[in-house]
Structures are given as C-alpha cells and as structure tokens.
Amino acid sequence: MDDEHTAGFREPCAQCSAVDWGVSDEGRFYCRSCHNVIERTREVVETTFAPGSTRVSTIGRGSRNKRPEGGRQWMICEGFQFILRNQADALLRLGVTPHFKDQVLLQLWRLYLQRSRQAYTNDPVRSSRFKVRGLDSDSDSMAESSVKSASETDGEANLSSTVGSNAASSSDWSQCSGSVDVVTYLSARLRRSRGLMSMKKTLALIHLGLVWSQEPLTLSDLLRLVNEGHVPYLNAYEDLPDEMRLDGRDAVIFRVDSVPSHRAVHTEAQDLALYLQLPAFPPISRKSLLHPALLSVRYLTDANLPDELHPWVCSLMERAGMTDQTFHTFDSTTRPILPRYDVQSAAVIIVTMKVIFGLDDHTEWDLSNEVGVQDDSEDVFNLRRWYRLMQAALIKAQQKRDHHIARKQWKAKKPLYLNRKMKTTVMKKKRTAEQVQICFKKLSSRLVGIRDCEPSSFRFCWGDEDGADGPSLHHKKLDKVVTPKRNILTPSNSTYWHPALQACDPRKCRSHYSEVEATLPRSFVWMLQLFSFLLDVKPAYLYEEVLTVERRVFGGKTPLNGNVRRKGRKTRTEARTETRSRSRSDTRTPQR
C-alpha cells in the first residue's frame, strides 16, 4: 500500500540518501531506512472528522476559475418539465394509475406551454429556437414541437439581447446563469403577466391532474408525501441532468426552503385552472372517492369514531345541499371554485359532532356520564373514553412527527449559490455540517426498533394487534346519545351553539380565529386541532370551512330537532327563567 501512495516521490533521503519511503497512519512520509520524517503528506480527501484533529489534508489541482464544460443552452420551462416528470414518476410508484402521467398531466403541461406562449404556438414570446422534451424521456411525442421564431416587441428584443449577453459571458460569474431566459422569471411584472411556472405551481398542476383523474389522493395527502420526501420538491433540482447547469441566478427560481401550505397551493391551483381555461372537470359523483360522502368514512376511521356516525354525516350533507355532484365539480364557467374535498369532509364531521354531542364543555360530558352508568355501556360509545384514548395517541403522533422533523436533513447535496464568494461560504458550511453529522451519527445511533414506515393515508392504526395506537371503537353504538322519538332517531342534545353566521367573502374576510379562540369551548377547539393534525392544516383554516358548512345548514333554516343559539346567547327557556327570577327579586326589593 505504501508503494502505491509514494510511487510519484523519488527524492533521496536527506540523512541516508536512500529512496525507500513509507506513509504513516497520520499520512506523513518517513524513510524506512533511518526513520526520518519529512514535511510531505499523502494527497487524500478526508471527509470524516476525528475530535482533536484539526489538520485537513486536501489537495486540489487545476485552475480555480475554470468552469465545468459539457453544458448546453436550456430554458427554465425545461427544468420545470424534468421536475414534473420526476414528481409524476414518484406518484406512479406510490400507486397512482399510469394514465395520470401520460393522458392527464402531459396534456395539462402542453396546454400550459401553449397558454404561456412558450411552445406549441406560432407566436412564441422568445426568439430562441428550443426543442421541448417530453415528460417521459423515453417517448419523443413532445419533441416534435419546438419554439419557433417570431417578431418581438422592443422590450422583448432588449430582454433577449440581455439574456444572450449574460449566457455568452463567463468572466463575471455573478451575472451569468445556466439558463438563457432567467431574466424573464426574475421580473415580477413579466412573471405575473405571462403566468410563468414556479415550484409552487408544480404542486398546483399535480393537484389539478389528480382531481381530473379522480384519484383518491387529496391535497393534504400530496403535501404530506412532499413533506416526508416521497415526492421530490425541496431539492428537486438535484435530479436535473448534468448538462443543465444551475449557475448564478437560477438558484432563486429552483431553490425552496419550505413546503407551501394547503391554502397557498389550493389558491394557486384554482388560479392556474382559470388561467388555462380548462373545461368542466369530470363530475364527482357519490361513487367517487373524492366525494365527502366516501371521504368522510376514511376520516371517521382515522379518528376512531363509530361507524354509526356516517349516516348522520350524510344526512347533514343533504341538508346543506352538498350531495349534488355539481357542487363538487369544478367548472370555470358555472362554478369557478375548486372544492377543498378533504377540508370539507372534516368540517362536516365536526358539525355532526356538534349536533349530536354539543361540544360546549357541558353537554358532551353529561351525555358521557349517562352512558357510563348503563349496564350495556361496553357496546355504547363513550365520548370521555374516546377523548382520553385519542388524546394519548395524538400526543404520541405529534412527538413522532417532531422527532422526524428534527432528524430530517434539510440541506441539499448540491447547494446553490448566486456568486463565487457565496460558493466558498456555502461549501465550507456544507463540509462542516457533514463532519458534525458524522459525529452525531456515531454518538446517537438509531434505536433497533425504529424503522421507516411506508407512506399511508392514515395517521393512526386502531385495533387489538401489536403496534396499534389503541383499541378500535368503530363498532360502538350511539345509544343514549341518539334516541327514537316517534319512530325517528333524534339526538338527545336539544341545542346547537354557533357564532354569528353573517354572510362574507372568504377571500376578503377571514374568520379571525385567533381573536375568538379564547371564547370558544375547549372541546370544540380540541376537535379542530385533532382534524387539523390529520389534514396537516392550521386550525383557523379548518374553522373557516366549519363556518361555511354551518351557514349552509343553519342559515335561515329550522334547526335539526332542537334549538339553535349563538355563542354567548341564551335559549328561550333560559331567558324566561332569568326573567322570572329578576321579576321576583324586583318585587321583594324595596324601591328607594
């Protein structure tokens, strides 16, 4: 081994004049004859870090200003095209039907390129000839169409000349980029006017394709897969081909620091659908897995609620007018509102729980006490028992999620930088982070029983088998909380509280959840937090949808077998009792 490392060094020893060199464990050269140690060290690149050792033995050859060769001119839309292809392939590996990529997403991407005048048009916005590759690298269906030359305005001509000068000049790296049209994407005015693609829009386009295909994958499921790393997003640029160099200002477009929220992606998807002028989506009937009638079954199972709640959920949806397929089908002409299927289903379940159990910090516990004293309480659903079981599982799941986030590697393997000075700082931080990470891996190894789980649509696992979060309550009955009256099942709860249900525009007026949270019952707030954890959304976001469902159910209608009162207002019986007590006290108190 020493002969391999010292083959290029043939100088005689200064003491004994022998040419017999060896390499010590520390990487230093020594003479095997007289054991003389010289200053020369072995050329190695050591990535590990040993505590107490501060010597870095690395040697780099060549010019530092030399840039890698082998790249070609490429456009930003092609980079997003590769990212969309990788995201679609990841979804196919997770079980999405193959026609989602070839027949839906590919057509949406072609339509977007045509609407934004980047391809498939005789009047492109740029003058550079560029052949657009397909989402599938094995097929050349999209390669037949290219961006054709066309006359441009003065402003676009100046922009094209600027891009050409930046791409041709390599002396000033801070002004150069790997792509030829990065200046267009860095202009906020041009980006808005032309509807240019962004990383957030890739998720919006994927979501539109899933809704069109009627895949049982909601937006919250998609964002959860992105957060867990099953669908590339955060460091998706690392999978781009080597010939597409990301230099300079390309980092601003393809670098993302966090996963967007449910609200942001949903708004982006709705605006993108209107921009593309899509026709009416395939109808979402009650047989579709995206319909809240079937989607609520999944959330009831995940929340370990009894199956007998599902007919009440469907009854509430019929009263709210949410069973018609036109209500859940997106149409840019008649109904230009993209439904939030997952949030709507959770909101309907919460409203149903309020109708049956009250969720006012008093009624639900009184009903639990009545159920607890019955002889057949083993088969009857007890809300107090469910709450204790669910609270323990929720805390455990939240800790598991926080632990996963803490162990997650957020830094990219191929960091992006805007200029040469930033490159030096970024690479130094990367080497330091890798060395510290190696030390932490040696000190805190993963436990034997911990292993990565396969992606699942469910947060919890209920049942009696090993590894479950607790016993299943799906077979429990709703006796004592739902009683027959005149051969009609009626909730034992006779009142329903709700805040003021004034009509407002959700886009302009928010729910002000942070202001009213302190006045809401704690059981209702906990219910919002539970389903917010299941959907990975903010409680305020879910609270808005609950208010929307309540407006449709109780806005100007007769309550469901009981009295409806606003939060903070008394029922008629309470008002009469208080009036009588006041009148008696007035008659007994002498007037001054």
Coordinates of all heavy atoms in Angstrom, one line a residue, residues 92 96-106 209 212-215:
L92 N -46.5 7.6 -9.4 CA -46.8 6.3 -10.0 C -46.2 5.1 -9.2 O -46.9 4.1 -9.0 CB -46.2 6.2 -11.4 CG -46.8 7.1 -12.5 CD1 -46.2 6.9 -13.8 CD2 -48.3 7.0 -12.6
V96 N -50.5 5.5 -8.0 CA -51.4 6.3 -8.9 C -51.4 5.6 -10.3 O -50.4 5.1 -10.8 CB -50.9 7.8 -9.0 CG1 -51.7 8.6 -10.0 CG2 -50.9 8.4 -7.7
T97 N -52.6 5.7 -10.9 CA -52.7 5.0 -12.2 C -51.8 5.6 -13.3 O -51.6 6.8 -13.3 CB -54.2 5.1 -12.7 OG1 -54.6 6.5 -12.7 CG2 -55.1 4.4 -11.7
P98 N -51.3 4.8 -14.2 CA -50.4 5.3 -15.2 C -51.0 6.4 -16.1 O -50.2 7.2 -16.6 CB -50.0 4.0 -16.0 CG -50.3 2.9 -15.1 CD -51.5 3.3 -14.3
H99 N -52.3 6.3 -16.4 CA -52.8 7.3 -17.3 C -52.8 8.7 -16.7 O -53.0 9.7 -17.5 CB -54.3 6.9 -17.7 CG -55.3 7.3 -16.6 ND1 -55.6 6.4 -15.6 CD2 -56.1 8.4 -16.5 CE1 -56.5 7.0 -14.8 NE2 -56.8 8.1 -15.3
F100 N -52.6 8.8 -15.4 CA -52.4 10.2 -14.8 C -51.3 11.0 -15.4 O -51.4 12.2 -15.7 CB -52.2 10.1 -13.3 CG -51.6 11.3 -12.7 CD1 -52.4 12.4 -12.5 CD2 -50.3 11.3 -12.3 CE1 -51.8 13.5 -11.9 CE2 -49.7 12.4 -11.7 CZ -50.5 13.5 -11.5
K101 N -50.2 10.3 -15.7 CA -49.0 11.0 -16.2 C -49.1 11.2 -17.7 O -48.9 12.3 -18.2 CB -47.7 10.2 -15.9 CG -46.5 10.7 -16.6 CD -45.3 9.8 -16.3 CE -44.1 10.2 -17.0 NZ -42.9 9.3 -16.8
D102 N -49.5 10.2 -18.5 CA -49.5 10.2 -19.9 C -50.7 11.0 -20.5 O -50.5 11.7 -21.5 CB -49.3 8.8 -20.5 CG -48.1 8.1 -20.1 OD1 -47.1 8.8 -19.8 OD2 -48.1 6.9 -19.9
Q103 N -51.8 10.8 -19.9 CA -53.1 11.3 -20.5 C -53.6 12.5 -19.9 O -54.4 13.2 -20.4 CB -54.1 10.2 -20.5 CG -53.7 8.9 -21.2 CD -54.8 7.8 -21.1 OE1 -56.0 8.1 -20.7 NE2 -54.5 6.6 -21.5
V104 N -53.2 12.8 -18.6 CA -53.7 14.0 -17.9 C -52.6 15.0 -17.7 O -52.7 16.2 -18.2 CB -54.3 13.5 -16.6 CG1 -54.9 14.8 -15.8 CG2 -55.4 12.5 -16.8
L105 N -51.6 14.7 -17.0 CA -50.6 15.7 -16.6 C -49.8 16.2 -17.9 O -49.5 17.3 -18.0 CB -49.6 15.1 -15.6 CG -48.5 16.0 -15.1 CD1 -49.2 17.2 -14.4 CD2 -47.6 15.3 -14.2
L106 N -49.6 15.3 -18.8 CA -48.9 15.7 -20.0 C -49.7 16.6 -20.8 O -49.2 17.6 -21.4 CB -48.6 14.4 -20.9 CG -47.8 14.6 -22.2 CD1 -46.5 15.3 -22.0 CD2 -47.7 13.3 -22.9
G209 N -54.2 17.7 -11.9 CA -54.2 16.4 -12.6 C -54.8 15.3 -11.7 O -55.5 14.4 -12.3
W212 N -58.6 15.8 -11.7 CA -59.2 15.4 -13.0 C -59.2 13.9 -13.2 O -60.2 13.4 -13.7 CB -58.3 16.0 -14.2 CG -58.9 15.8 -15.5 CD1 -58.9 14.7 -16.3 CD2 -59.7 16.8 -16.3 NE1 -59.6 14.9 -17.4 CE2 -60.0 16.2 -17.5 CE3 -60.0 18.1 -16.1 CZ2 -60.8 16.8 -18.5 CZ3 -60.7 18.8 -17.1 CH2 -61.1 18.1 -18.3
S213 N -58.2 13.2 -12.7 CA -58.2 11.8 -12.7 C -59.0 11.1 -11.7 O -59.2 9.9 -11.7 CB -56.7 11.3 -12.6 OG -55.9 11.8 -13.6
Q214 N -59.6 11.9 -10.7 CA -60.4 11.4 -9.6 C -59.6 10.4 -8.8 O -60.2 9.4 -8.4 CB -61.7 10.9 -10.1 CG -62.6 11.9 -10.7 CD -64.0 11.4 -11.0 OE1 -64.3 10.3 -10.7 NE2 -64.8 12.2 -11.7
E215 N -58.3 10.6 -8.6 CA -57.5 9.8 -7.8 C -57.8 10.0 -6.3 O -58.1 11.2 -5.9 CB -56.0 10.1 -8.0 CG -55.5 9.6 -9.3 CD -55.5 8.0 -9.4 OE1 -55.3 7.4 -8.3 OE2 -55.6 7.5 -10.5

